[in-house]
Amino acid sequence: MTRNIRHAAVFCALLLVALVVNAARVQLVRGPEFDGNPANRRPDIARYGQPRGDIRVGGEPVTGSRDTGEHLRYERTYTEGPLYAPVTGFASQAYGTTLLEHAEDGLLSGADPALAPIPLWNDVTGFGNAGGSVETTIHAGAQRAAFEGLGGHKGAVAAIEPATGRVLALVSTPSYDPQHLSGNGAAVKRAWERLTGDPDKPMLNRAVRQTYPPGSTFKVVTAAAALDAGVVSDLDAPTVSPDPYTLPGTRTRLTNESEGCRDASLREAFEWSCNTVFAKLGVDVGVADMAATAEAFGFNDDGLRVPFSVARSTFDTSVDRAQLGLSSIGQYNTRATPLQMAMVAAAVANGGQARTPYLVERTVRAGGAVVATSGSSPAREVMSPATAARLAELMRGVVENGTGANAAIPGAVVGGKTGTAQHGVGNSGTPYAWFVSWARGGQDAEPRVAVAVVVEGRAADRGEISGGGLAAPVARAVMAAVLGS
């Protein structure tokens, strides 16, 4: 009898070992396979089983969560969704996440290990964390001014605090309401099909993901290169610049929209945006120095993130002299995001020092404890302080005496540069209206905001499209909102 009991005990022990081994095999070896199986809804149920953390602007949430009472319990909600969509992106149960919702998904969803009270706590207890919140650098007044300023136009605005790199505004129009994509029902599918099929591309973040020929706003870069290289030393001395200017090695003659550009000084050429002067300056500076200056400003950088990725702004380094002339006035293959051109204006405003832009001020736990802070990156020198001071003087002249008068703010010091960028085969496309600028309040020691605005003009208004007419008033509204806060 005892022998039979012993055999039964051994057999039961073997069964227990087999169960433990099989459980370990399922959990550890085949666990990832089961987690990734489309039929396994447990990860989704857990992910949406609690409210998502908030994205905040000025300390106030611009996102929320709604209890649906369904298996995927909580859906994302958005306060003034179209206004902040270029910042937040969307968090959809059906289509995933974009922009800040994607870059900070671990923290917002509660999955980030940094939210655990002690390392490996959740692995041991099996409990999850409440989602953390993301405090952005966005200035609510500047964001609204940019959005309302663009109005019904297609375009984008980016604004930066020059001394720190804090992103104060990111606006893209037309926009969309990300809440329409939050759930997973038939209405969400219809909204997705409508938005992705819209030829105006409302889900495209034009401020950071679309590049444009910057046109005459790129003359800020060309002027910096010419001054740093010593090609120009006196802002008021006549340049040797024919009008029209025949591009080197070609029969193509470059002309100007303004009169009086022949042999114009750098100051006059900057204020009235003389193409001939700046094309020749770029050729005289040469490809190597032009490329070095452009890259110091941030062109040709594949790695810029804010924290989501930013499209690469380009300055072609393999051009001949004729192509270099066109590149130096923001045409040919030169392309830039609005954020990149805001970085150009910010570097001038900050005495030639550039700060990498950033959008997240800090991340915090549900209880308010800080998880991480961002802060300014080390400054890099884009140009000499003397060159930056002279460029700031030139940009002030554009607003006070030239094509940027619509950006002037009473009681403030404003510098700017207009641009009207041609594009398309034979310049057949409707031009883009550009304006880049910076502003300092009357009592401020240094500029507080740098802005870039691009407006995609309508074909019907082609003859009236200009940076000073369309884009400068938007920039003025954004700058005034920051200075008045």
Side-chain angles (χ1 to χ4, degrees), residues 286-378:
V287 173
D289 285 345
M290 278 296 301
T293 300
E295 289 173 358
F297 275 107
F299 285 79
N300 297 339
D301 181 0
D302 291 312
L304 180 60
R305 304 184 69 86
V306 292
F308 46 80
S309 63
V310 177
R312 182 177 187 261
S313 298
T314 57
F315 183 83
D316 196 335
T317 60
S318 60
V319 291
D320 60 27
R321 296 177 75 229
Q323 294 163 342
L324 177 60
L326 293 176
S327 298
S328 300
I329 58 172
Q331 299 289 165
Y332 190 58
N333 287 339
T334 305
R335 296 187 69 88
T337 62
L339 182 63
Q340 173 62 68
M341 294 313 297
M343 291 166 61
V344 169
V348 175
N350 198 36
Q353 300 289 311
R355 300 275 189 179
T356 301
Y358 66 98
L359 183 58
V360 174
E361 194 78 79
R362 68 184 65 87
T363 54
V364 297
R365 292 185 175 87
V370 174
V371 177
T373 58
S374 296
S376 299
S377 62

Side-chain angles (χ1 to χ4, degrees), residues 361-420:
E361 194 78 79
R362 68 184 65 87
T363 54
V364 297
R365 292 185 175 87
V370 174
V371 177
T373 58
S374 296
S376 299
S377 62
R380 66 180 189 277
E381 185 171 284
V382 172
M383 66 197 106
S384 71
T387 291
R390 289 193 282 183
L391 270 178
E393 182 183 339
L394 292 177
M395 293 181 76
R396 287 182 61 180
V398 169
V399 175
E400 295 170 3
N401 309 308
T403 56
N406 283 336
I409 300 172
V413 177
V414 180
K417 182 70 189 80
T418 56
T420 305

